[in-house]
Amino acid sequence: MPLTPLDIHNKEFGRKLRGYDEDEVNEFLDQIIKDYEAAIRENKEMQSHAAGLQDKLNHFANLEETLSKTIIVAQEAADEVKSNAKKEAQLIIKEAEKNADRIVNDALTRSRKIAMEVEELKKQASIYRARFRTLVEAQLELLSQDGWEALERAEVKELY
């Protein structure tokens, strides 16, 4: 057990003939008590200060660990967001490619259909023209027959 100032104060020495001067010894002991009390006080202050610094150190160590974990979580979240964005972009691109293919195929189908309709219209126009030509030729042939002249003369005679 460590020595206390009270132990020093209560310490009594046996007396002998030709011993030390009692007043000098008591004064020296009083000085030792004061210095020892000051050393104990300073030691307690240092321990208190060291405990405070240790608490701060623990606090900052915890803070550092928390920040480190937060940074790791944030990095993981950022990586996940980046990965999800890439996946979504790929899906959008695939969907756009499908839509583009569908649009191109629809356009090709419509183009073929329109081309077929144009060809059909050309055929119908050709048929119509041939029929119309045949009709006109038949009418011209009728007009050029001799029967019309006789009809014209008969009409003129009847009018006079």
Side-chain angles (χ1 to χ4, degrees):
M1 188 155 139
L3 190 61
T4 65
L6 190 58
D7 291 336
I8 295 171
H9 181 35
N10 291 334
K11 178 66 177 168
E12 290 190 18
F13 296 98
R15 297 179 188 229
K16 289 191 177 181
L17 188 68
R18 297 189 59 169
Y20 292 107
D21 181 6
E22 190 176 330
D23 289 333
E24 280 184 41
V25 170
N26 285 339
E27 281 179 29
F28 185 69
L29 287 176
D30 287 340
Q31 184 63 39
I32 290 174
I33 290 171
K34 285 179 190 176
D35 290 347
Y36 194 63
E37 283 177 344
I40 289 174
R41 237 187 337 270
E42 186 179 341
N43 189 13
K44 284 183 182 179
E45 287 174 6
M46 291 288 193
Q47 287 177 349
S48 175
H49 186 65
L53 291 176
Q54 187 63 44
D55 287 344
K56 284 183 180 180
L57 180 64
N58 290 339
H59 171 73
F60 287 119
N62 288 337
L63 186 61
E64 179 186 21
E65 183 179 343
T66 302
L67 288 174
S68 179
K69 287 179 182 178
T70 302
I71 289 171
I72 290 171
V73 168
Q75 183 64 42
E76 289 172 353
D79 290 344
E80 186 175 339
V81 166
K82 186 177 178 182
S83 173
N84 288 341
K86 278 186 177 180
K87 288 177 184 175
E88 189 173 339
Q90 289 173 348
L91 289 175
I92 289 170
I93 289 170
K94 285 181 182 179
E95 187 66 28
E97 287 173 349
K98 285 180 185 177
N99 284 340
D101 288 343
R102 182 185 51 77
I103 289 169
V104 167
N105 288 335
D106 287 350
L108 286 174
T109 302
R110 284 184 197 163
S111 172
R112 288 182 190 127
K113 185 177 178 182
I114 289 170
M116 288 171 52
E117 288 175 1
V118 165
E119 286 301 314
E120 183 63 29
L121 287 173
K122 283 180 181 179
K123 285 179 187 177
Q124 288 178 5
S126 178
I127 291 169
Y128 175 76
R129 226 173 80 206
R131 285 183 183 170
F132 191 68
R133 176 179 287 136
T134 304
L135 178 67
V136 167
E137 286 173 354
Q139 293 297 318
L140 285 173
E141 189 176 319
L142 273 176
L143 287 174
S144 64
Q145 287 179 357
D146 290 335
W148 283 100
E149 289 175 10
L151 211 103
E152 282 179 3
R153 278 186 251 146
E155 280 181 20
V156 173
K157 287 182 185 177
E158 285 179 17
L159 288 177
Y160 294 112

